[in-house]
Amino acid sequence: MQEVALRDGLQSEAGFVPTGKKIELVDQLTASGLKKIEVSSFVSPRAVPQLADAEAVFGGITRRPGVIYAALVPNVRGMERAIAARADEVNLVMSASESHNRANLRMAGEASFHAIQEAAALAAAAGMRVAASLSCSFGCPFEGEIPAATILMWCRRLHEEAGIRSISLCDTTGMAYPALVHDLVGLVRQSSPAVTLALHFHNTRGLGLANVFAGLDAGVVHFDAALAGIGGCPYAPGATGNLCTEDLIHALEVSGYTCGVDLDALIKTAQHLEQLLGHPTPGQVMKAGRRLRGPRADQPGPVG
Ligand code: COA
Ligand code: ZN
C-alpha cells in the first residue's frame, strides 16, 4: 500500500497546505503503521505550486526505519532534487496516452521515456529504489480507450530498456472496471513476468474498491490510495479523488487480509485532514465509523 494523499491529493487542492501541516500529516501517517508514503513531487513549481515545498517537507519529516518515503519525478531535474532530498524511492511518471503526456508533462511519450531512462540510471547510481507510474493505463480523458498493446509495450520498455522492475498502472480518471483490470493485469503479467505490478485507482465512477478486488484476484498485492479519498490530476479533465485509504484498509481487513495499519489512527488523521482542507472529502468509513465485527479467518494474506 502506498499512501498518496500528500502528493496526488494535495496537487489538486485549490489552496496551499502549509509545509508544517504537511510534515505533521506525514508523521501521523508514519505513526499509523503505513509502510510507504508518497511525500511530494519534484516537478516544476510552476506546474504544481501546491507541492513547491517538496524539499522542505522531506527535510522536516521524522523518518521511521522500514518506512519508504517516496516522491513523484517526471525528469532528470526532478531526479537530482529527489537525490538531494534523500527520497527513498522515486515514482518516475509518464502517460500511456500521448495527449495526456503532452498536457501533463509537456513532452511526447518517447521524450518522457528517455527522461525516465536517464533518471532511472541516476537513481540506480544513488542506490535509490525506482518505480514507474504509467498514467491513463485504463483510458484517457482525451483519447478514450488506450490499446492493451500500448500498455504492454511501455511496460516491456520500462523494464527492459530502463531497468525498472516495479510498475504502477494508473487509472488517472477512473475509467477502469473490474473485467478490464483483470484482463490487463493478466496480459501484463504474461508479457512482463519479472515486473512487480501496483495498481493506482481513482474512484471517479465509484469502482475503486471493486477494481482492487479484481486486481487481487489477478495476483496484484500493491495498491495506491489517498487518505480521505482526496486527489486528482490537475492536467486531466474530470479527474476526481483517489481510492480512499481508510475505506480500502477497512474493506481488506473485513475480507480477512492483514494490512498492518492502525485503522482508528488513520481515521483520526483523515478527519484531521478534512478539517485542514476546510471542505468535505469523499472518504466513507471516516463518516460511518469502522465496522465492529472481526475479519473472516479463512482468507489470510498480507496486502501491501
Ligand atoms: N523541478 C523543478 N523545476 C523544474 C523541473 C523539476 N523537476 N523540471 C523543469 N523545471 C523548470 C526548469 O528549470 C525551467 O525553469 P526556468 O523557466 O526557471 O528556467 C522550467 O521548469 C521549464 O523547464 P522545461 O524543461 O522547459 O519544462 P516544461 O515547462 O516543458 O515542463 C515538466 C515539463 C515535466 C517539468 C512540467 O510539465 C511538470 O513539472 N509537470 C508535472 C505535472 C504534474 O505533476 N502532474 C500531476 C502528477 S502526474
Ligand atoms: Zn492519481
Side-chain angles (χ1 to χ4, degrees):
M1 170 104 40
Q2 176 174 232
E3 165 55 52
V4 299
L6 270 292
R7 197 276 302 168
D8 205 337
L10 297 189
Q11 76 186 11
S12 64
E13 285 294 319
F16 180 85
V17 172
T19 306
K21 297 286 180 197
K22 289 174 178 153
I23 293 168
E24 207 176 281
L25 278 167
V26 175
D27 289 348
Q28 285 172 3
L29 292 169
T30 298
S32 75
L34 287 160
K35 292 289 178 286
K36 194 192 272 196
I37 301 169
E38 198 177 32
V39 171
S40 193
S41 285
F42 292 105
V43 299
S44 157
R46 242 178 291 160
V48 184
Q50 297 92 330
L51 304 181
D53 57 354
E55 277 85 357
V57 180
F58 266 97
I61 58 176
T62 303
R63 301 183 190 224
R64 178 183 282 186
V67 178
I68 297 165
Y69 298 94
L72 185 103
V73 163
N75 58 13
V76 169
R77 171 87 188 91
M79 190 67 230
E80 290 163 352
R81 291 176 61 201
I83 291 171
R86 295 191 306 111
D88 298 311
E89 177 168 323
V90 282
N91 294 320
L92 300 175
V93 65
M94 66 172 288
S95 186
S97 150
E98 198 62 31
S99 316
H100 179 250
N101 207 74
R102 287 177 190 275
N104 192 37
L105 303 173
R106 295 164 53 94
M107 53 187 144
E110 193 64 35
S112 266
F113 179 75
H114 286 295
I116 285 182
Q117 261 185 318
E118 220 179 309
L122 288 176
M128 190 183 275
R129 297 165 60 106
V130 184
S133 289
L134 194 59
S135 307
C136 295
S137 287
F138 297 92
C140 165
F142 306 109
E143 296 183 13
E145 201 175 307
I146 302 293
T150 304
I151 311 300
L152 299 188
M153 180 268 290
W154 284 126
C155 288
R156 265 201 308 271
R157 291 190 63 190
L158 286 164
H159 178 226
E160 290 166 16
E161 297 173 34
I164 298 174
R165 270 202 275 268
S166 297
I167 300 178
S168 177
L169 301 178
C170 302
D171 185 23
T172 310
T173 57
M175 294 170 78
Y177 51 93
L180 178 60
V181 171
H182 201 272
D183 288 353
L184 192 60
V185 165
L187 289 171
V188 175
R189 292 187 71 191
Q190 219 172 8
S191 159
S192 296
V195 164
T196 300
L197 277 182
L199 293 169
H200 174 108
F201 294 122
H202 283 255
N203 203 31
T204 320
R205 294 174 176 81
L207 286 171
L209 279 176
N211 288 333
V212 166
F213 283 92
L216 281 167
D217 198 44
V220 178
V221 292
H222 300 290
F223 299 94
D224 286 359
L227 197 72
I230 62 169
C233 176
Y235 298 97
T240 60
N242 285 78
L243 175 65
C244 170
T245 305
E246 322 82 82
D247 293 0
L248 172 61
I249 288 172
H250 172 263
L252 290 171
E253 295 213 327
V254 293
S255 305
Y257 295 97
T258 44
C259 301
V261 177
D262 180 345
L263 183 55
D264 292 323
L266 213 50
I267 290 172
K268 281 205 187 86
T269 307
Q271 287 161 343
H272 166 73
L273 174 61
E274 190 174 66
Q275 273 176 358
L276 179 67
L277 297 177
H279 62 75
T281 56
Q284 290 181 277
V285 169
M286 66 189 273
K287 299 177 189 104
R290 64 182 300 184
R291 187 175 182 273
L292 293 176
R293 246 186 57 205
R296 282 167 51 185
D298 58 341
Q299 275 187 316
V303 175

